[in-house]
């Protein structure tokens, strides 16, 4: 992405275009540059764009300018590597941020490469959730000081902070063995997933002795004839025995044995099964929209002001561009001009006849 200079009019337009769309779809490019004719969109790409810190400054939309105009403004900058540092201008993805945070080195099974659990930890938890939390903290602080501030939300640091438990518990004996041989990283036979006879899986996690006894009882094992639960030397053999036993029954059969007990054994539910599971169904954990698409209900659930999720489908990219600009005071002629310059995109869905 190449950024040059911008005019006051262009900056004003981008103040509107970068505003929140209220759940609607606004046209936004994957790559764009500024030329004499204004903001120009380049081709779409799945590769990360070089959206570095100078972009907003080049648009005259940096925090120094905006905070000067509105000292109460809370300005969040969510980046992968942070607003400064040797890697701050490098492109990256969740797996890279997780790697630099140190967390990735702890994820994986014995004698296997470290693995990234999809892109949940850095992108969404360490990035999005931590950034949102920073905004909430800044909003609360502003009630006392009356002042806004800039939030530097780095996915590297967010993921690292989420892993504080790993750092703080190193001397407790929980993480003093190689990757994949510890209590919570698939090393323990009682904190693992096991395949059933019908190709599905059960999740097993009775860490406490009283719960572990219920697991052994459900498996038909006598605890007096087995190694102690926390005898590391016995873990490999116990894992083999558990693997063999779970492979002899279907997931449904194991559910009949362990449901409503404290053995900490549950089915590993697929996306196809999760909404119809009795527990999730009773709580309304998953919802269907008007296209019969399933998605999770907003969480956490507030008692007095719960979220009211929409039953409509997700918007298409650029579906509401014109609608949003009209809401912000743009005339139809101005919108047509922006479209002709390829500053904006508009993508009205066609009706199904």
């Amino acid at each position: 992405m190449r950024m040059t200079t911008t005019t006051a009019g262009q900056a004003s337009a981008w103040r509107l275009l970068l505003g929140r769309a209220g759940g609607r779809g606004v046209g936004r490019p994957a790559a764009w540059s500024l030329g004499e004719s204004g903001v120009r969109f380049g081709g779409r790409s799945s590769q990360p764009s070089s959206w570095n810190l100078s972009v907003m400054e080049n648009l005259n939309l940096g925090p120094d300018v905006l905070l000067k105009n509105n000292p109460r403004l809370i300005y969040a900058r969510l980046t992968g590597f942070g607003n400064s540092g040797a890697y701050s201008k490098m492109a990256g993805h969740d797996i890279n941020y997780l790697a630099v945070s140190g967390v990735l080195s702890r994820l994986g099974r014995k004698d296997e490469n470290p693995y990234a659990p999809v892109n949940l930890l850095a992108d969404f938890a360490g990035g999005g959730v931590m950034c949102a939390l920073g905004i909430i903290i800044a909003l609360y602080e502003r009630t006392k000081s009356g002042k806004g501030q800039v939030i530097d939300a780095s996915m590297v640091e967010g993921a690292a902070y989420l892993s504080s438990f790993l750092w703080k518990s190193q001397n407790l004996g929980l993480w003093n063995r190689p990757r994949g041989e510890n209590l919570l990283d698939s090393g323990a036979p009682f904190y693992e997933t096991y395949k059933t006879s019908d190709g599905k899986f059960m999740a097993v996690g009775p860490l406490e002795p009283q719960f572990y006894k219920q697991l052994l009882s459900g498996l038909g094992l006598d605890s007096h004839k087995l190694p102690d639960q926390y005898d590391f030397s016995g873990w490999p053999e116990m894992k083999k025995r558990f693997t063999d036993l779970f492979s002899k029954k279907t997931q449904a059969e194991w559910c009949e044995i362990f449901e409503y007990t404290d053995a900490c054994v549950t089915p590993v539910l697929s996306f196809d099964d999760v909404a119809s599971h009795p527990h999730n169904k009773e709580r309304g954990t998953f919802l269907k929209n008007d296209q019969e698409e399933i998605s999770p209900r907003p969480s956490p659930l507030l008692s007095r002001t719960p979220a009211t999720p929409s039953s409509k489908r997700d918007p298409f990219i650029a579906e509401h561009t014109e609608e949003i600009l009209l809401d912000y005071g743009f005339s139809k002629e101005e919108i047509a001009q922006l479209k002709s310059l390829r500053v904006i995109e508009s993508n009205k869905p066609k009706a199904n006849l």
Side-chain angles (χ1 to χ4, degrees), residues 128-158:
V129 173
M130 285 298 186
C131 184
L133 180 59
I135 292 171
I136 293 171
I137 294 170
L139 284 168
Y140 177 73
E141 192 281 334
R142 191 175 67 181
T143 64
K144 298 182 177 182
S145 68
K147 298 179 181 179
Q149 56 188 306
V150 180
I151 299 165
D152 179 358
S154 157
M155 294 181 186
V156 171
E157 292 161 10

Side-chain angles (χ1 to χ4, degrees), residues 280-294:
N280 294 332
K281 193 172 182 179
E282 183 177 337
R283 286 185 56 83
T285 305
F286 294 88
L287 307 172
K288 281 186 179 181
N289 63 15
D290 55 7
Q291 304 293 309
E292 295 297 306
E293 298 168 331
I294 297 175

Side-chain angles (χ1 to χ4, degrees), residues 324-340:
I324 292 167
L325 294 181
L326 286 170
D327 289 347
Y328 275 113
F330 281 82
S331 68
K332 292 184 177 180
E333 292 74 18
E334 289 171 325
I335 294 173
Q337 183 180 13
L338 290 171
K339 288 174 66 176
S340 68

Side-chain angles (χ1 to χ4, degrees), residues 184 188-194 202-208 211-212 215 229-230 246 262-266:
L184 301 176
F190 49 87
Y191 205 85
E192 178 63 284
T193 58
Y194 292 97
M202 299 297 291
V204 175
L207 298 175
E208 297 81 2
F211 301 153
Y212 183 63
L215 166 65
Q229 179 182 5
Y230 282 89
F246 274 103
D262 288 334
C264 303
V265 178
T266 53

Side-chain angles (χ1 to χ4, degrees), residues 201-333:
F201 297 88
M202 299 297 291
V204 175
L207 298 175
E208 297 81 2
Q210 67 272 29
F211 301 153
Y212 183 63
K213 287 182 180 179
Q214 293 195 40
L215 166 65
L216 297 181
S217 176
L219 292 174
L221 296 174
D222 185 349
S223 61
H224 297 96
K225 298 179 181 180
L226 301 173
D228 181 77
Q229 179 182 5
Y230 282 89
D231 178 2
F232 292 126
S233 64
W235 283 4
E237 181 59 32
M238 289 303 300
K239 183 173 286 193
K240 290 180 182 179
R241 296 189 66 172
F242 287 179
T243 298
D244 179 64
L245 288 169
F246 274 103
S247 70
K248 297 184 184 301
K249 297 181 186 294
T250 65
Q251 185 186 73
E253 289 173 326
W254 285 120
C255 286
E256 288 182 12
I257 292 172
F258 286 112
E259 276 185 344
Y260 311 113
T261 73
D262 288 334
C264 303
V265 178
T266 53
V268 177
L269 300 175
S270 68
F271 274 27
D272 293 332
D273 299 331
V274 69
S276 60
H277 186 272
H279 176 77
N280 294 332
K281 193 172 182 179
E282 183 177 337
R283 286 185 56 83
T285 305
F286 294 88
L287 307 172
K288 281 186 179 181
N289 63 15
D290 55 7
Q291 304 293 309
E292 295 297 306
E293 298 168 331
I294 297 175
S295 61
R297 182 189 67 189
S299 181
L301 184 62
L302 304 185
S303 63
R304 186 171 53 82
T305 57
T308 305
S310 173
S311 61
K312 297 181 179 180
R313 60 161 175 80
D314 293 337
F316 298 118
I317 294 175
E319 179 179 350
H320 301 108
T321 300
E322 294 183 29
E323 179 183 321
I324 292 167
L325 294 181
L326 286 170
D327 289 347
Y328 275 113
F330 281 82
S331 68
K332 292 184 177 180
E333 292 74 18

Side-chain angles (χ1 to χ4, degrees), residues 7-18:
T7 66
Q10 292 162 1
S12 176
W14 272 98
R15 285 190 181 92
L16 300 179
L17 292 175
L18 292 173

